[in-house]
């Protein structure tokens, strides 16, 4: 690992100034994935800005619309244990996705903001929940962007920090299903659904996000349409180009898994529906 400079600011403004003043600087929450990238020399970072001292970036709060506001440096373990999360519509889906991190030490270090940037299981769950992000940069500039759009290429910029994840209130139920890659235990394919049900259990509105393989978590409208179709009234959804092939699995195999896992996740969400 190359030598680099390190700072642990006491305020968010100081952290933003450090990022602005040093091109190529990177913020660090839990540091799990970032440290791995650095050890592999996948990133060259002149300055590491540790956000761990910023209490304002931790914790779960009730949002003004009745949804949830989750500080970006809240750990995954603290997230799923929080009473506000456990008592909300998001609880089951986030707990499912967090369980995809098989190592308790990782869950105790990994942060919500880092999980979004990593674009894997928790990010897929947040896309299904229509979650947004509050980002800040120097000069008190701020913006809001959905997790879906951010992972599609809208940042964060080098001088931006994810301040909070915002999950809107909804009556949807959620569930996450995945198949693990045996060697690394990462998700060969994962599927998150956020779904509302009509009386009698038919699917109403539905959001489906997938992860696994090259590329970050992304929403898949074809799987949403298939989930909402009446049983037996639709062909298998075409997922051309949704998954790329790599040295672990082909894109076609991952697409097959996504179809199967979507059905399982919808069934699991239906079991959770209080209606």
């Amino acid at each position: 690992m190359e030598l680099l400079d390190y700072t642990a600011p006491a305020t968010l403004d100081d952290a933003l100034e450090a990022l602005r003043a040093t091109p190529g600087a990177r913020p660090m929450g839990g540091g799990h994935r970032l440290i791995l990238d650095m050890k592999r020399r996948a990133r060259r970072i002149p300055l590491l800005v540790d956000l761990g001292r910023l209490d304002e970036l931790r914790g779960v709060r009730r949002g003004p619309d009745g949804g949830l506001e989750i500080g970006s440096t809240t750990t995954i373990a603290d997230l799923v244990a929080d009473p506000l999360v456990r008592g909300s519509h998001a609880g089951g889906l986030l707990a499912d996705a967090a369980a995809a991190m098989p190592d308790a030490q990782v869950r105790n270090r990994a942060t919500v903001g880092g999980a979004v940037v990593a674009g894997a299981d928790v990010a897929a769950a947040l896309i299904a929940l229509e979650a947004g992000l509050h980002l800040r940069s120097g000069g008190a500039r701020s913006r809001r962007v959905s997790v879906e759009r951010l992972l599609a290429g809208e940042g964060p910029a080098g001088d931006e920090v994810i301040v909070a994840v915002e999950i809107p209130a909804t009556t949807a139920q959620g569930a996450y299903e995945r198949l693990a890659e045996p060697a690394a235990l990462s998700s060969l394919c994962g599927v998150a659904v956020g779904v509302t049900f009509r009386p009698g259990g038919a699917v109403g509105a539905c959001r489906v996000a997938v992860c696994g393989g090259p590329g970050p978590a992304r929403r898949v409208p074809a799987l949403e349409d298939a989930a909402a179709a009446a049983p037996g009234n639709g062909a298998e959804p075409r997922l051309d180009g949704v998954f790329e092939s790599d040295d672990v699995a082909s894109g076609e195999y991952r697409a097959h898994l996504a179809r199967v896992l979507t059905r399982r996740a919808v069934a699991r969400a239906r079991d959770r529906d209080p209606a």
Side-chain angles (χ1 to χ4, degrees):
M1 186 185 296
E2 297 181 7
L3 295 177
L4 75 162
D5 289 332
Y6 168 89
T7 183
T11 70
L12 178 57
D13 287 340
D14 288 345
L16 294 172
E17 175 58 24
L19 291 168
R20 185 203 64 78
T22 307
R26 289 292 182 269
M28 181 180 76
H32 169 63
R33 184 173 294 270
L34 180 62
I35 297 300
L36 291 178
D37 286 349
M38 292 168 60
K39 290 175 72 173
R40 291 194 298 264
R41 299 180 183 270
R43 298 188 186 188
R44 298 187 66 184
I45 301 172
L47 174 66
L48 201 58
V49 181
D50 190 343
L51 306 178
R53 295 184 180 180
L54 306 182
D55 291 340
E56 62 196 288
L57 300 187
R58 281 195 294 271
V60 180
R61 301 167 290 277
R62 183 71 68 189
D65 68 344
L68 298 175
E69 293 183 355
I70 303 165
S72 62
T73 62
T74 304
T75 67
I76 300 301
D78 286 343
L79 170 71
V80 298
D82 191 279
L84 286 177
V85 175
R86 294 179 66 177
S88 75
H89 65 283
L93 176 48
L94 288 174
D96 289 347
M101 297 181 177
D103 190 327
Q105 290 181 319
V106 172
R107 294 194 294 272
N108 287 333
R109 287 293 302 171
T111 63
V112 176
V116 169
V117 175
D121 308 272
V122 172
L126 290 170
I127 291 174
L129 290 166
E130 301 186 70
L133 301 170
H134 178 198
L135 296 98
R136 280 271 310 275
S137 54
R141 296 187 303 272
S142 67
R143 68 182 176 110
R144 282 173 165 77
V145 63
S146 69
V147 174
E148 179 182 359
R149 286 171 53 195
L150 180 127
L151 291 176
E154 296 194 21
D159 64 343
E160 282 185 314
V161 166
I162 299 174
V163 174
V165 176
E166 301 167 343
I167 300 176
T170 179
T171 58
Q173 293 296 318
Y176 184 74
E177 292 283 341
R178 73 165 190 144
L179 182 68
E181 194 273 299
L185 298 181
S186 58
S187 292
L188 188 64
C189 178
V191 175
V193 303
V195 58
T196 58
F197 295 97
R198 300 189 182 99
V203 172
C206 183
R207 286 176 64 90
V208 179
V210 303
C211 65
R218 57 273 187 201
R219 189 178 171 194
V220 185
L223 289 172
E224 297 171 355
D225 294 341
N233 288 353
E236 285 286 278
R238 294 183 61 87
L239 301 179
D240 300 336
V242 173
F243 294 97
E244 298 179 29
S245 299
D246 59 14
D247 57 357
V248 177
S250 68
E252 291 79 8
Y253 180 56
R254 284 193 170 98
H256 168 70
L257 288 176
R259 298 183 187 99
V260 174
L261 294 173
T262 299
R263 290 192 289 268
R264 291 180 184 176
V266 170
R268 191 171 183 182
R270 183 180 285 110
D271 291 339
R272 290 172 170 166
D273 186 31

